[in-house]
Amino acid sequence: MRPASGAGARDDVLVVAALAVEAVHVPAHLPLLLTGPGKTAAATAVAAVLAARPPADRPLVVGVGTAGALREGVTGLHVPGAVVHHDISADALARLGAPTTTELALDALLGAAPGDVVLATGDVFVADEDVRERLARRAHLVDMEGFAVAWAARSLGARVVLAKHVSDAADEGAWSWPDAVAASARALGEWLAGVLPARTG
């Protein structure tokens, strides 16, 4: 984990990203946790950092990163209002008497109303038209960590906001992600600097 540094450093926020390439423009005054890709890595890393702080001192968790667009016309940066867990056998578990949570409402930032964009999270890298079409019935965006970050934060009593920048259309073009991530990282860094400025005074 990279601690906050410099003038105006903040300890009331924890920025979380899966990969360093997505977080190269996160401002130095914000602490940054890199989790690695996928739900297990994300949930484990976030839970470990939050559990090390007293319950009353747990920061706002702000998960940032790239996402695939599941619907036409969805571009740019989004702050979802909800996140769903798309690759768990929820119906089967319910039939077996073990219902599980598959959707979480997300917090708003700076008093703004939560957005109406829904993010779907799963360990599957979506680059298939059929999978994209199925997920688009329920969500606007898809990633591999958002639900896990939110679940870990909520489980430990922390507020959580997610911000995702569209890097691809969750189809065959998703394999060009390495070429698109730099622009997404820049947009996410600019957004963070605007909504979570350095402390003054």
Side-chain angles (χ1 to χ4, degrees):
M1 179 173 154
R2 184 200 78 184
S5 63
R10 298 184 61 158
D11 62 0
D12 60 328
V13 176
L14 175 65
V15 177
V16 178
L19 301 171
V21 69
E22 296 176 296
V24 292
H25 297 289
V26 173
H29 68 269
L30 299 173
L32 172 64
L33 172 66
L34 297 177
T35 68
K39 295 179 300 188
T40 301
T44 301
V46 172
V49 170
L50 293 181
R53 294 177 62 162
D57 190 40
R58 286 177 183 151
L60 167 69
V61 175
V62 182
V64 299
T66 57
L70 297 171
R71 303 179 187 182
E72 298 304 318
V74 178
T75 61
L77 192 146
H78 299 271
V79 180
V83 60
V84 298
H85 188 182
H86 77 74
D87 62 352
I88 187 169
S89 300
D91 292 342
L93 289 170
R95 288 178 60 190
L96 294 171
T100 184
T101 298
T102 59
E103 182 169 349
L104 293 171
L106 298 166
D107 292 301
L109 195 59
L110 300 178
D116 58 2
V117 168
V118 176
L119 171 68
T121 296
D123 280 320
V124 177
F125 182 79
V126 179
D128 178 271
E129 290 283 359
D130 292 337
V131 176
R132 180 181 191 260
E133 183 178 345
R134 175 176 58 81
L135 293 177
R137 298 175 197 142
R138 191 176 183 191
H140 303 79
L141 302 171
V142 63
D143 82 338
M144 297 177 67
E145 296 84 25
F147 186 91
V149 170
W151 178 268
R154 286 287 173 73
S155 295
L156 286 158
R159 296 175 62 239
V160 60
V161 172
L162 300 178
K164 293 289 174 175
H165 190 268
V166 174
S167 57
D168 58 80
D171 55 14
E172 277 296 323
W175 296 111
S176 66
W177 181 87
D179 299 323
V181 67
S184 292
R186 189 173 302 108
L188 289 163
E190 291 172 355
W191 178 82
L192 285 167
V195 299
L196 296 169
R199 284 177 166 161
T200 58

